Each structure stands twice: as structure tokens, then as C-alpha cells.
Amino acid sequence: MTELTQYVYAFDKANEPIARAKDGDEFSFRTLDCYSGQVCTEEDIVGESFNFSRTNPATGPLYVEGAMPGDVLVVDVLSVEVADKGAVTTIPNIGPLYDRCVDRTRILPVKDGKTELGGLIIPINPMIGVIGTAPAGEDVIDGFVGSHGGNMDNKLITKGTRLYLPVRVPGALLQMGDVHAAMGDGELCGTGIEIPAEITVKVQLVKNFELHWPVLETHDKWYVNANAPKYDEALMNGSKELQRLLMNVTGWDPVETYMYMSIQSDVEISQGCEPCEVQLSLRIGTPKLPQFAPLVPRP
């Protein structure tokens, strides 16, 4: 299996791929933490002197042969193996309570699937914060989120899940990073347990399928991932895409589908602590139903 170790700081169609994959190949992405190794001790504070241009590095990109605009890249997350320690920090002007706190770093050990903070034992749930394909237009820095993916900070993107990403450029140019050993929905102070990791994925293609936003598949649900500067705009983006996909597989009209969504679909905030220019990231989940075809075709 090939291991990827090149780091880039934006999703960009001009990024030179460091490896090529065929449909069905498995690759290992070795990732840095979101600080690019700048935070190693509790004396390392994310403050005014911190180099923010080196945050949220992503490993890649991986060129997937045969991937063309209008296709969907399917990424199965096979494993997310984290290092033996990570860091959680406060970040200036990030999160609802920043004006009530001071800059602080905590280095947290990780052992046997657990960590410890303030005397409490906390189970870990390693997840991928940044993952996506290259946009067709201007580059998007790794700390931002968009319809290509990026910094979705969705805690469900973890071992055993499947992600469907729109392909906007030839080869898709998949990259990923910003792993958290644990993170709550919303990521209130701006960080989870930021940690280096090794991610193993399998890549496959669905040819010629219209997908406007990333879709996540778990064992029991489908989730549309969407974003916008404001909650109501992000909600509209995700709701329209979920409605469209559900209508495709059910044959219902828009009103029937809308009513079903109100009864059965859940809106969950993935990332809600960042300033508006970084944008609010949410997911809308709907149950898998055996009487319907998959929301997105499976490869």
C-alpha cells in the first residue's frame, strides 16, 4: 500500500498530485496535526505570534485515474490511527466564550482508546476534519469549507463511514488532514484533540452522477453536508440537496418529500464556532430505508 506524506494548505486544481490511484485502490495518508507541529508543549500558545498560515495542512493530493467532472469520488474510511498525544487549545476570538477565557494549551495523552482531561477519562473517536477534492474555480484554503468538502469538521467522518465527494476537476485531487482524537459537534473553543494520524482509505468512482454537496453514509443514515456564512443559508443548501436526492429515489413530489424530511431528517451542526468568513458547517441526516434505492449509487 502506498503512503502519502506531502502537505498542502489549500484545495487547488494546480496542486501537483503526489500519487495516482486506480478505481478500488487503497492508500494511506500520513497527516500532521492542525498546527503543523507548532504546538508540542503547554507553553506553546496559539496567540498573536502563532503562524496561522501553517494551519490545517492536508496530505495529498491523490489523482484518481478516470475521475472526471460530473463524477462522484467514493472514499471508504478503513482506519484512522492516531498518535500517542494531542493538543487542545483556545484560539483568539474563536468560539462563543473566548471573551471569558485566556489563551491556553493542554497536551493530552492517548492510550488504549482513551484520554484524560481535568481528571476525567474520555473515550476517543478519531475523525477526519479536512477532506475533499479540488474545486474547479479559485483555490480554497484548508481551513475553509465548501461544496468540494474541505474543513467540514464532521465528527462522523471516521472509521467505517463512506464519503461521496463531487468531482470538479480531472483526477478529483483528493486530500485530507486535520484529524481529531475526539471532538464535539460545533467544536466550541475552535479545537478538538488535534493530533497527527495515519488514515487508510479506499477510493472508487461513480460515473456521471449529479452531486452538489458531499454526502456521508453511515451504517444507518445518509447525511448531506452543506455550509454557508449563516445558519439559514447553510440549512437551505443542505435541505435543497437532500430533497433533490430523496425525490430521485422515492419518486415523491417536492411537498411530500419536504413533509417526510420534517418527520424523519435531523439537522446537526458540525462546525459552528468559526467567524462567518470561515462559514457554518452542518449535516442533514435521513434514515436508510430498505424499500428505497441508495441516496447516492454505490460503486
Side-chain angles (χ1 to χ4, degrees):
M1 184 188 308
T2 302
E3 181 180 276
L4 306 184
T5 56
Q6 172 179 290
Y7 311 110
V8 291
Y9 290 87
F11 288 84
D12 190 339
K13 60 182 180 292
N15 284 342
E16 190 68 26
I18 58 171
R20 300 175 76 93
K22 295 180 180 178
D23 193 347
D25 281 351
E26 295 181 10
F27 276 79
S28 177
F29 290 71
R30 187 172 293 277
T31 66
L32 301 174
D33 64 31
C34 79
Y35 315 106
S36 293
Q38 297 180 83
V39 176
C40 299
T41 73
E42 295 189 349
E43 285 68 48
D44 298 324
I45 301 297
V46 181
E48 293 182 0
S49 62
F50 187 81
N51 184 356
F52 284 95
S53 70
R54 293 183 57 217
T55 56
N56 281 43
T59 304
L62 174 67
Y63 186 102
V64 181
E65 295 180 2
M68 295 298 294
D71 295 340
V72 173
L73 180 64
V74 183
V75 181
D76 284 302
V77 183
L78 304 180
S79 66
V80 184
E81 301 293 335
V82 297
D84 59 4
K85 64 179 179 179
V88 59
T89 73
T90 54
I91 301 176
N93 302 312
I94 295 294
L97 304 179
Y98 180 75
D99 62 351
R100 303 182 181 190
C101 76
V102 296
D103 296 333
R104 180 176 297 168
T105 294
R106 286 288 179 261
I107 303 297
L108 305 183
V110 174
K111 185 177 181 181
D112 299 329
K114 300 179 179 66
T115 188
E116 181 270 331
L117 175 65
L120 293 177
I121 301 299
I122 301 169
I124 66 169
N125 177 42
M127 48 77 66
I128 305 167
V130 171
I131 184 169
T133 55
E138 295 183 358
D139 67 302
V140 179
I141 65 171
D142 290 346
F144 284 24
V145 61
S147 63
H148 66 292
N151 191 27
M152 292 183 284
D153 272 338
N154 181 340
K155 73 177 186 180
L156 302 183
I157 304 177
T158 187
K159 177 182 177 180
T161 58
R162 171 176 278 183
L163 188 62
Y164 299 81
L165 296 166
V167 176
R168 304 275 167 71
V169 302
L173 300 183
L174 174 69
Q175 58 194 56
M176 63 190 74
D178 185 35
V179 168
H180 306 86
M183 190 198 82
D185 279 338
E187 197 184 27
L188 286 177
C189 80
T191 60
I193 302 176
E194 311 293 337
I195 196 164
E198 184 170 351
I199 307 164
T200 302
V201 302
K202 179 179 179 179
V203 294
Q204 300 177 87
L205 290 172
V206 172
K207 300 294 291 182
N208 302 313
F209 184 82
E210 182 181 359
L211 191 63
H212 302 153
W213 295 91
V215 169
L216 182 68
E217 179 183 359
T218 67
H219 71 283
D220 62 346
K221 280 190 173 183
W222 294 90
Y223 291 87
V224 170
N225 297 264
N227 65 273
K230 295 182 179 180
Y231 171 78
D232 57 346
E233 297 170 3
L235 182 64
M236 176 65 77
N237 289 337
S239 298
K240 287 171 65 176
E241 182 71 339
L242 181 58
Q243 182 190 52
R244 183 183 70 84
L245 292 170
L246 279 170
M247 288 171 61
N248 284 347
V249 300
T250 63
W252 296 337
D253 68 18
V255 178
E256 199 82 0
T257 307
Y258 189 27
M259 291 190 291
Y260 173 78
M261 290 165 59
S262 190
I263 295 169
Q264 285 285 277
S265 300
D266 298 314
V267 179
E268 302 167 9
I269 302 298
S270 296
Q271 170 58 270
C273 71
E274 302 283 4
C276 287
E277 64 267 19
V278 178
Q279 303 189 353
L280 182 142
S281 174
L282 57 74
R283 58 185 185 265
I284 306 180
T286 200
K288 289 183 177 178
L289 297 175
Q291 60 265 47
F292 297 141
L295 203 63
V296 181
R298 295 193 178 99

